[in-house]
Amino acid sequence: MSAQTTQQSALEEIKVSVKLKLAALWASFMFLYIYVDYFHLYMPGSLEDLLARKVFVFDITQAYLLVALASVAIPALMIFLSVALSAKVSRWTNLVVATIYIPYTLVNLVGEAWIHMAFGASVEIGLLLLVIRYAWKWPRAEI
């Protein structure tokens, strides 16, 4: 293979900003977050519990649904906020929210946790750890 052929076949590396990496991590987190809940509906007894207005030990009330929506809305908003906020605010917001969502993700495994839920939580926590890593190591501006 000639040097010219090697140069022509080399792929261009484009530097991706930390903000876009964080937004992509939050988007990936959201897909998993939603699908783990969706697949939970296939577990025996889930639909019966929903029809009985129960989730685990909780009654399905307006307050419960508000909390459930907030728990999904926060990481969904992080996709946008990671890009829109200033670097300093975005860094700290990502650090705080990702740190809070790690134990929250583990609490979701309380009760009857099937292997798909444990796998999903493991990947979600991996993504959150990457959010923390990228936010923590945010490149400093050269002054």
Side-chain angles (χ1 to χ4, degrees):
M1 193 184 288
S2 71
Q4 184 177 6
T5 306
T6 304
Q7 278 184 335
Q8 289 175 346
S9 63
L11 299 176
E12 179 183 1
E13 284 293 331
I14 299 172
K15 185 171 168 101
V16 178
S17 75
V18 173
K19 288 184 171 195
L20 289 178
K21 289 176 185 178
L22 292 169
L25 285 166
W26 282 111
S28 297
F29 175 86
M30 282 303 304
F31 275 110
L32 283 165
Y33 196 68
I34 297 295
Y35 272 103
V36 168
D37 281 350
Y38 175 74
F39 291 148
H40 185 274
L41 295 174
Y42 290 96
M43 293 171 56
S46 288
L47 293 178
E48 291 83 0
D49 287 348
L50 286 175
L51 292 173
R53 301 182 67 145
K54 287 275 192 200
V55 172
F56 187 48
V57 297
F58 303 103
D59 292 330
I60 298 175
T61 63
Q62 288 190 41
Y64 172 84
L65 292 175
L66 179 61
V67 170
L69 182 59
S71 77
V72 174
I74 292 168
L77 289 170
M78 288 304 298
I79 299 167
F80 170 72
L81 293 175
S82 295
V83 176
L85 296 173
S86 69
K88 185 176 182 177
V89 175
S90 180
R91 178 179 187 253
W92 284 106
T93 304
N94 274 281
L95 287 169
V96 169
V97 175
T99 301
I100 290 169
Y101 266 80
I102 289 174
Y104 185 79
T105 299
L106 293 172
V107 167
N108 283 329
L109 294 176
V110 172
E112 186 180 12
W114 284 25
I115 192 72
H116 78 281
M117 296 167 70
F119 176 75
S122 298
V123 177
E124 289 172 14
I125 289 170
L127 291 168
L128 292 168
L129 289 171
L130 283 171
V131 167
I132 291 168
R133 180 177 180 270
Y134 278 113
W136 187 259
K137 293 182 173 268
W138 199 299
R140 303 288 182 203
E142 306 250 345
I143 298 175

